[in-house]
Amino acid sequence: MTTGENTPETEPTGEDAYELDRKRVAQILFALDRDDREALVELMEPLHPADIADLLEQINAFDRGRLIRLYDKEFDGDILSELDESIREEVISALNPQVLADAVRDLDSDDVVDLLEDLEEPQQEAILDALEDSDRVAIEQSLSYPENSAGRLMQREVVTAPEHWTVGQAIDHMREADELPEQFYHVVIVDPRMHPVGQVTLGRLMSSRRTKPLIEIIEETFQVIPAAQDEEDVAYAFNQYHLISAPVVDEDGRLVGAITIDDAMAVLDEEHEEDILRLAGVGEGSLSDRVSETTKQRFPWLAVNLVTAIFASLVIAQFEATIAQFVALAVLMPIVASMGGNAGTQSLTVAVRALATRDLTGSNVWRVIRREVLVGLINGAIFAVVMGVIGVVWFGTPMLGVVIAAAMVINLVVAGLAGTVIPVILDRIGVDPALASGAFVTTVTDVVGFFAFLGLAGAVLL
């Protein structure tokens, strides 16, 4: 029995299941080198727009430009919405204006807004000019809302029904409509002033009798999103209340659009990614960024780390005489600082994540702080015993073992405290804890670790 290319027997499994097939990528690049448009289109036709976007991100700029020009009119608008922002502008510039116009017309309004947000004005105009007048007005209205707001996130296309309609009337309306959104999950029920009063899932709609009033089958969970609401709050609401879609209203409570779960989860994913990158001090860079851009993004935080390292070195300098008499201190003191830094990073990561998900609030902050301090105390005591024994065996000085053990306990307790308190304080004063906490926590654990270890050594061993 023979199997086709897409049969389960030949499909990749495990970690490679959803990655681009290396053989296909090689074939695409070979077709590109031969200028074979027919082979290129045939190879790329089965690929999802997200996979084509991945391909464009992975190849170099020269091959990217050649592929776009050769692929030409087959270029799909969904590819643009899947592209990383760092190369989206480059791809749009390389597209034939007519191809760009056709690609953009196929997109939902929220995807068009997402495209326009990060482009320069000439390219924004090129895309807006490609739209029909009514679509252009709708897009410009969405762009008038604040950046990172629900108004920017929503799609203008919404299926609505008056509150006095029946199931049958709603179904007939959808069947007769010239255009419906490409993806929608609810029919929004509105009053005569276009205020949303509820929504009906398509599943409930199709499973109810035609004579059933819509108002009797509306969902119990119904959240209305203000257009000016921050997109982080929107994503939180979707995650918290398990929403699939939600209507968006203007200042007067009138329906202006809808947000679907894919857009809300994309925001949530971006926030998580942003927090991880900021915790590492690398900003919002991507693998497609140029060397100069990546250098500029990372330089400021390396400079901050240099300043904090100098501050820690000044603490060490105060104990030069102590270190000169006990060389063993120079060998052991990095261990105390390193353990404190790692413990602080652990507490910091948990706290920043809890703040982002709103699990860490004023009502439980002291309980969380006590827990982290106790964890630091217990871990500190365990490693204190280990390092105390190592100190005695290694250097033959019992009191040196006692000193490093005590310093270990102190630094791990302070690490647990700083790793929780610092992000909470920064969040309260309006500073992003993911962005700024790392430098402060590292400084605290380094300074306290060195000061505790060298100070105790000076007091006990001299």
Side-chain angles (χ1 to χ4, degrees):
M1 177 181 175
T2 59
T3 57
E5 184 178 337
N6 295 320
T7 58
E9 288 83 357
T10 60
E11 286 180 356
T13 58
E15 292 183 0
D16 298 332
Y18 301 108
E19 290 183 2
L20 277 171
D21 180 50
R22 293 179 184 176
K23 182 180 178 182
R24 185 180 292 273
V25 172
Q27 290 171 336
I28 289 172
L29 292 176
F30 182 64
L32 193 61
D33 287 336
R34 292 187 302 154
D35 249 5
D36 190 341
R37 172 176 158 73
E38 186 177 339
L40 180 74
V41 172
E42 185 179 344
L43 286 164
M44 292 183 65
E45 186 179 4
L47 296 180
H48 188 277
D51 293 325
I52 296 177
D54 283 345
L55 173 65
L56 290 170
E57 290 165 12
Q58 291 172 16
I59 61 180
N60 61 51
F62 177 70
D63 286 339
R64 189 157 49 236
R66 289 196 301 156
L67 190 150
I68 292 167
R69 286 188 290 274
L70 192 61
Y71 198 44
D72 195 37
K73 60 185 179 181
E74 305 297 331
F75 201 94
D76 191 281
D78 289 328
I79 300 171
L80 291 175
S81 62
E82 297 286 352
L83 277 172
D84 190 275
E85 294 172 6
S86 60
I87 67 164
R88 191 181 284 168
E89 195 167 340
E90 174 192 332
V91 171
I92 289 173
S93 297
L95 281 170
N96 179 293
Q98 186 56 50
V99 172
L100 175 62
D102 292 339
V104 170
R105 288 194 195 104
D106 292 335
L107 292 175
D108 288 333
S109 58
D110 57 328
D111 292 325
V112 178
V113 171
D114 184 49
L115 277 180
L116 292 172
E117 282 183 319
D118 303 301
L119 298 178
E120 298 296 331
E121 191 171 335
Q123 290 183 315
Q124 285 187 347
E125 282 300 320
I127 289 178
L128 288 171
D129 289 341
L131 301 172
E132 295 180 6
D133 291 343
S134 59
D135 292 333
R136 175 169 182 149
V137 169
I139 298 301
E140 288 176 336
Q141 286 176 346
S142 293
L143 288 170
S144 68
Y145 290 106
E147 193 174 352
N148 299 323
S149 67
R152 292 283 188 98
L153 195 62
M154 69 182 181
Q155 64 180 48
R156 308 287 297 197
E157 303 85 4
V158 188
V159 179
T160 62
E163 54 188 338
H164 62 269
W165 270 13
T166 63
V167 167
Q169 287 174 300
I171 292 174
D172 291 341
H173 167 70
M174 287 190 289
R175 285 174 176 167
E176 294 168 5
D178 293 332
E179 288 187 13
L180 289 176
E182 187 173 325
Q183 282 189 340
F184 69 102
Y185 310 100
H186 291 98
V187 174
V188 181
I189 313 303
V190 294
D191 66 14
R193 300 178 63 188
M194 287 300 291
H195 295 157
V197 296
Q199 56 187 13
V200 178
T201 63
L202 293 181
R204 191 78 185 274
L205 187 74
M206 300 307 295
S207 63
S208 300
R209 293 183 179 276
R210 287 181 60 86
T211 55
K212 191 84 168 177
L214 290 176
I215 203 72
E216 292 183 11
I217 59 171
I218 60 174
E219 269 197 310
E220 292 181 8
T221 303
F222 179 61
Q223 294 285 331
V224 175
I225 308 293
Q229 191 169 73
D230 190 276
E231 63 180 19
E232 287 186 41
D233 296 328
V234 174
Y236 176 80
F238 268 75
N239 191 50
Q240 180 75 2
Y241 302 114
H242 310 294
L243 304 178
I244 299 174
S245 69
V248 180
V249 297
D250 61 16
E251 294 177 351
D252 299 318
R254 289 191 298 267
L255 182 70
V256 291
I259 294 174
T260 53
I261 189 170
D262 56 326
D263 293 317
M265 292 304 100
V267 171
L268 204 59
D269 186 51
E270 286 172 9
E271 292 300 321
H272 293 168
E273 181 183 339
E274 185 179 286
D275 285 346
I276 291 170
L277 293 174
R278 286 183 171 183
L279 277 170
V282 294
E284 299 178 12
S286 77
L287 294 177
S288 304
D289 288 344
R290 295 185 179 88
V291 172
S292 58
E293 293 172 348
T294 304
T295 303
K296 288 177 184 177
Q297 289 168 352
R298 299 184 185 182
F299 179 83
W301 292 105
L302 290 174
V304 170
N305 285 333
L306 176 61
V307 172
T308 59
I310 291 172
F311 188 61
S313 297
L314 291 174
V315 174
I316 297 173
Q318 305 305 309
F319 298 92
E320 283 185 59
T322 306
I323 296 172
Q325 294 187 45
F326 281 91
V327 179
L329 299 179
V331 176
L332 295 175
M333 66 182 184
I335 298 175
V336 179
S338 176
M339 290 295 291
N342 285 331
T345 300
Q346 289 174 341
S347 297
L348 167 65
T349 304
V350 171
V352 169
R353 180 74 186 92
L355 286 168
T357 58
R358 307 185 190 186
D359 291 329
L360 182 55
T361 63
S363 60
N364 67 353
V365 64
W366 292 113
R367 178 174 61 79
V368 174
I369 290 173
R370 284 196 301 271
R371 188 196 71 167
E372 291 299 322
V373 169
L374 284 173
V375 169
L377 179 62
I378 295 169
N379 280 334
I382 294 170
F383 287 109
V385 173
V386 174
M387 283 309 303
V389 172
I390 291 174
V392 172
V393 173
W394 195 349
F395 296 102
T397 308
M399 290 310 296
L400 181 59
V402 172
V403 167
I404 193 170
M408 190 77 73
V409 172
I410 293 170
N411 206 20
L412 262 67
V413 168
V414 170
L417 180 65
T420 307
V421 172
I422 288 175
V424 169
I425 292 174
L426 291 174
D427 185 60
R428 293 285 172 84
I429 63 176
V431 178
D432 187 346
L435 185 62
S437 297
F440 288 113
V441 172
T442 302
T443 302
V444 169
T445 54
D446 283 352
V447 169
V448 170
F450 291 139
F451 190 84
F453 182 52
L454 297 176
L456 287 170
V460 174
L461 300 177
L462 295 183

